[in-house]
Amino acid sequence: MGEPVDHPLGPWQTIQKLLPRDLTDKTLLDVGCNAGFYAFEAKRRGAKRVLGVDGQRQHVRQGLFVRKVLGLAVEFRRLNVYELNPRTIGQFDITLALGLLYHLKHPILALEKLYQVTKELLVIETAIMPPRQTPNSFAYSFGSAKTILHPLAYVENPPDAKEQIFNWFLPGIDALAALLRNTGFVEVEVIEIKDDRAVVICRKPKGQTSAHDALKHFVAHLELQEGPQTCPASSELTFRLRVENVGLARWTAAGETHNGKGAVLLGSHLLKADEEEVDWDFGRARLPRDLEQGETANIEFNVRAPETPGRYIVEFDMVSEHVTWFEDHGSGTLRHELIVE
């Protein structure tokens, strides 16, 4: 790759200043860890848990070899960034994503995954659009909506490029900061720009996600465990579902004290087989408790069947009371065919 033999000494001169000298009682995740240089340096500073993950088998093997030589207790796993999940690897006080983002075909998905596994601080070192060749950001109106457009470059890969070193997108520095803010990081600080490289640190909000930011992080996975496929008209129906909070926002079961606004419930719509709406609010069921990201709950959903026989679709979705249906912000629904006799 034409890198100097002492690589990554250059980036380390900046990165080391961003990490506490004493990492005792801290956990650190190094994503795209290569042979584990940064992971081992974190362990030297006393971090209680260090995990290095990389999508390339040869890098993980190198990390395991270095671990054996140095005798430092660093974990290594072969995972790509899209597989990061707090349920399987946990959450970390500090996450490093160094020399990673420009290799990613799906950068927004990757940033959301990094957000999920980070408790406090994300450190990014990445290639960017060369500042001297980056067009200025500008305001633009889509109808009545005014917004800011930030430049981001697509890299056309040559036919003989190797898969593991593909480059896909180079954001301008303002585009990178906007992507990180929109992911949910409340504080994004550009630490350094050198030619076409930048170092950025991002901090997560302390406490509950704000109501505004929560909307884009309302994502649910719904699974029907039990429910009728046929029923008599006007009969009482019981569905049992398993709901999982797979987004980044906490689901509150009660909502605001005075009016219940923001309470998350399981709701449904009743449609005819041809998608014509019969009853948009076809019943609600409450959560048994608040659900943090990654948590699940079993819910019993009771409703009365329609009076008119025919083929129907019961479409389940989560709803934040007086705020939004989850589907409106990109979450999937669960559809169940019901024949009323």
Side-chain angles (χ1 to χ4, degrees), residues 68 84 161 172 174 178 226 252-253 256-257 278 284 289 310 316 318 328:
K68 183 177 180 179
L84 297 179
D174 291 337
E226 184 181 344
T252 173
E256 296 179 6
T257 303
V278 178
R284 303 280 175 100
R289 64 187 186 283
F316 295 97
M318 304 304 294
D328 293 340

Side-chain angles (χ1 to χ4, degrees), residues 38-293:
Y38 297 100
F40 288 117
E41 290 300 322
K43 196 63 182 179
R44 292 182 198 271
R45 295 188 178 198
K48 68 178 179 180
R49 184 191 179 198
V50 179
L51 172 62
V53 301
D54 202 288
Q56 299 300 316
R57 175 69 69 187
Q58 70 269 24
H59 296 327
V60 174
R61 294 180 69 197
Q62 289 173 1
L64 293 173
F65 169 76
V66 177
R67 180 179 72 183
K68 183 177 180 179
V69 172
L70 297 181
L72 293 173
V74 172
E75 302 172 45
F76 287 95
R77 292 178 64 177
R78 184 185 179 190
L79 287 173
N80 67 53
V81 65
Y82 311 117
E83 297 173 299
L84 297 179
N85 190 315
R87 287 173 295 168
T88 55
I89 66 170
Q91 287 187 304
F92 295 79
D93 298 308
I94 301 170
T95 299
L96 305 180
L98 311 176
L100 175 69
L101 291 183
Y102 49 95
H103 292 307
L104 302 178
K105 196 173 184 179
H106 310 289
I108 296 176
L109 174 59
L111 290 176
E112 291 177 345
K113 292 293 185 178
L114 291 168
Y115 185 97
Q116 288 181 1
V117 296
T118 302
K119 287 183 181 179
E120 299 174 5
L121 180 70
L122 170 67
V123 182
I124 289 178
E125 191 280 334
T126 185
I128 57 173
M129 287 184 70
R132 63 185 178 279
Q133 295 179 271
T134 302
N136 293 327
S137 301
F138 59 94
Y140 189 78
S141 296
F142 293 95
S144 60
K146 293 183 179 180
T147 189
I148 302 295
L149 300 186
H150 299 293
L152 180 146
Y154 175 74
V155 180
E156 183 175 356
N157 290 288
D160 58 348
K162 294 182 179 180
E163 180 67 23
Q164 66 264 35
I165 58 171
F166 268 5
N167 296 318
W168 291 98
F169 297 97
L170 293 180
I173 192 62
D174 291 337
L176 177 59
L179 283 168
L180 292 163
R181 288 193 300 269
N182 288 168
T183 301
F185 292 100
V186 294
E187 183 180 333
V188 177
E189 181 181 357
V190 178
I191 300 299
E192 178 182 87
I193 299 176
K194 285 186 176 179
D195 299 323
D196 59 357
R197 310 288 298 197
V199 176
V200 181
I201 58 173
C202 321
R203 290 184 173 86
K204 289 186 71 169
K206 294 182 179 180
Q208 188 173 347
T209 306
S210 70
H212 179 267
D213 285 337
L215 294 179
K216 60 178 176 285
H217 297 310
F218 277 146
V219 188
H221 176 73
L222 308 177
E223 179 183 340
L224 181 64
Q225 296 181 313
E226 184 181 344
Q229 293 182 316
T230 62
C231 67
S234 299
S235 61
E236 293 291 334
L237 307 178
T238 297
F239 298 91
R240 291 182 174 85
L241 291 89
R242 181 175 181 268
V243 302
E244 181 179 5
N245 181 353
V246 295
L248 308 180
R250 180 172 176 263
W251 297 357
T252 173
E256 296 179 6
T257 303
H258 59 289
N259 61 7
K261 181 178 179 180
V264 175
L265 294 88
L266 174 64
S268 72
H269 319 307
L270 181 65
L271 313 172
K272 290 184 179 180
D274 64 359
E275 302 288 333
E276 181 182 344
E277 182 182 315
V278 178
D279 189 347
W280 187 250
D281 281 311
F282 189 54
R284 303 280 175 100
R286 293 193 171 277
L287 294 175
R289 64 187 186 283
D290 293 354
L291 291 186
E292 304 290 346
Q293 57 178 283

